[in-house]
Amino acid sequence: MEPLPVVWFIAIAVLWIGYLLLEGFDLGVGMHMIFSTRSERDRRVMLNTIGPVWDGNEVWLITAGAAMFAAFPAWYASLFSTLYVPLTITLVGLIVRAVGIEYRGKVHTERWRTVWTWMIGLGSLIVAFCIGAALALTSTGLPIDANGDRVGGPFVWLTVPAVLGGLAVVGFALLHSATFLGLKADGPVRERAGRFAARWAPLCIAPAAVWAIWVQLAHGGNVFAWTLIVCAVLAAVFGWRAAQVRREGRAFIGFAGFGLFGAAAIFAGMFPVLLPSTVDAAFDLTVWNAANGPYTLGVMTVVAAVSLPVILLYQAWSYWIFRKRVTPGMIPEVHIVLPAVLRAR
């Protein structure tokens, strides 16, 4: 049994979990900007909490997809071609969200800000839902034949597990971002985020809990995966209790732990299957039949061993540099800034 396919399955699981934990609060902050306040200053506080890190967090998504392509090309090809429609919608959501973050403050009109606020919020919602749907389907199954090709129409992916996974990531993002705002913001934003986490935590994590248990029952489960689920439950209880007494750091750690252990339980529960076939179990893609050659995996391992620590250190450094709270007093009044070219005239 070759060890490298297993190593890269674990690496891809780590990349996806890292994306959910880091980009999760980015997406949640975008959604909170729509419904949690009508104050322009509060929305700017929210946006500034993720301003220095949101684009770096998206790198985890790109790296996870690239690792799937290089390590398990059959998995990548079957999953991404079958989910062509939702992945295209995801790209649209990523684009409008990124443009909204960059363009929102460029014009000083209420209409302009409102439009781009909604683009940020809706783009975040679309991305969270579609990524959750895709991950849920790769863990519960898609109708693929012996060649890994889709059986059925372009919307055959729209199933109960897809909706469940989408709601799971949306709910987790909303809760995770509320505890993040409790740590990174101050004033009214901090207070509202604390109340949201204390009140809505059970509803937000319920779809993710159902998804994790669904995977264990569908794949037969194993002791390690069930142990991770128990850890996820304990972390969620710890986080909820901390949120109720406004221990913001502990609440963040608790719900982040729920996301970490819950996602790890899903990947552990589905191993060694990468993409189950709902047509015939004989068509399942596994770590063994979908992996690239040993030489390719070996080169990837060397490159990752050299570059990944550098990337992690740099990202950790950026979080450390921007670790302080964003307060309403830090947000200046809206004003027009002339380009340097015009100021020089």
Side-chain angles (χ1 to χ4, degrees):
M1 184 175 67
E2 290 288 337
L4 286 181
V6 179
V7 169
W8 274 99
F9 173 81
I10 296 172
I12 290 169
V14 169
L15 290 170
W16 277 114
I17 294 170
Y19 174 74
L20 293 173
L21 292 179
L22 295 176
E23 185 76 347
F25 60 72
D26 285 357
L27 298 173
V29 168
M31 288 184 274
H32 276 289
M33 286 180 65
I34 294 178
F35 68 86
S36 68
T37 181
R38 295 181 178 274
S39 166
E40 172 60 17
R41 185 177 292 273
D42 288 352
R43 283 173 173 162
R44 291 173 65 193
V45 168
M46 290 182 184
L47 198 55
N48 276 271
T49 62
I50 63 172
V53 297
W54 70 269
D55 47 355
N57 292 340
E58 286 190 349
V59 173
W60 288 77
L61 174 63
I62 299 169
T63 309
M68 290 172 63
F69 171 78
F72 301 101
W75 182 20
Y76 176 92
S78 294
L79 181 66
F80 279 52
S81 61
T82 303
L83 301 181
Y84 188 85
V85 172
L87 289 175
T88 302
I89 296 172
T90 302
L91 289 176
V92 174
L94 287 168
I95 292 169
V96 299
R97 174 175 173 267
V99 173
I101 292 173
E102 297 292 344
Y103 277 30
R104 187 179 183 277
K106 301 300 183 184
V107 177
H108 179 34
T109 68
E110 184 65 27
R111 182 177 181 181
W112 178 272
R113 289 193 298 268
T114 300
V115 168
W116 290 115
T117 296
W118 277 91
M119 290 299 99
I120 295 170
L122 293 179
S124 300
L125 175 64
I126 289 170
V127 172
F129 185 87
C130 290
I131 291 295
L135 292 176
L137 288 169
T138 198
S139 62
T140 57
L142 282 167
I144 57 174
D145 59 20
N147 298 319
D149 297 329
R150 182 188 68 215
V151 177
F155 293 96
V156 71
W157 57 271
L158 191 55
T159 60
V160 172
V163 175
L164 179 65
L167 293 176
V169 174
V170 169
F172 175 72
L174 286 171
L175 179 59
H176 191 39
S177 62
T179 58
F180 174 78
L181 289 172
L183 282 178
K184 288 290 295 178
D186 209 349
V189 173
R190 180 182 181 183
E191 291 301 315
R192 280 191 296 268
R195 290 195 298 269
F196 181 93
R199 182 176 183 181
W200 297 106
L203 182 63
C204 288
I205 65 176
V210 174
W211 174 16
I213 294 172
W214 186 318
V215 170
Q216 309 313 314
L217 297 178
H219 291 271
N222 56 71
V223 175
F224 179 60
W226 282 109
T227 302
L228 289 172
I229 287 181
V230 172
C231 292
V233 172
L234 294 176
V237 172
F238 175 81
W240 189 25
R241 177 56 184 163
Q244 290 176 324
V245 296
R246 297 298 177 87
R247 300 296 296 270
E248 292 155 336
R250 293 185 179 183
F252 181 81
I253 292 172
F255 290 124
F258 169 80
L260 170 65
F261 290 122
I266 290 170
F267 281 103
M270 61 186 282
F271 180 84
V273 178
L274 301 175
L275 179 58
S277 171
T278 56
V279 176
D280 190 327
F283 304 153
D284 288 356
L285 297 178
T286 69
V287 169
W288 317 118
N289 65 21
N292 215 327
Y295 178 78
T296 300
L297 295 179
V299 172
M300 290 173 58
T301 303
V302 173
V303 172
V306 173
S307 60
L308 190 59
V310 177
I311 295 172
L312 291 176
L313 285 173
Y314 174 78
Q315 193 163 28
W317 176 82
S318 67
Y319 273 91
W320 174 255
I321 292 297
F322 296 103
R323 65 189 182 276
K324 293 184 178 180
R325 290 185 183 273
V326 179
T327 66
M330 296 178 180
I331 306 299
E333 296 296 332
V334 176
H335 58 284
I336 297 174
V337 178
L338 291 176
V341 175
L342 296 179
R343 291 201 302 268
R345 290 179 179 177

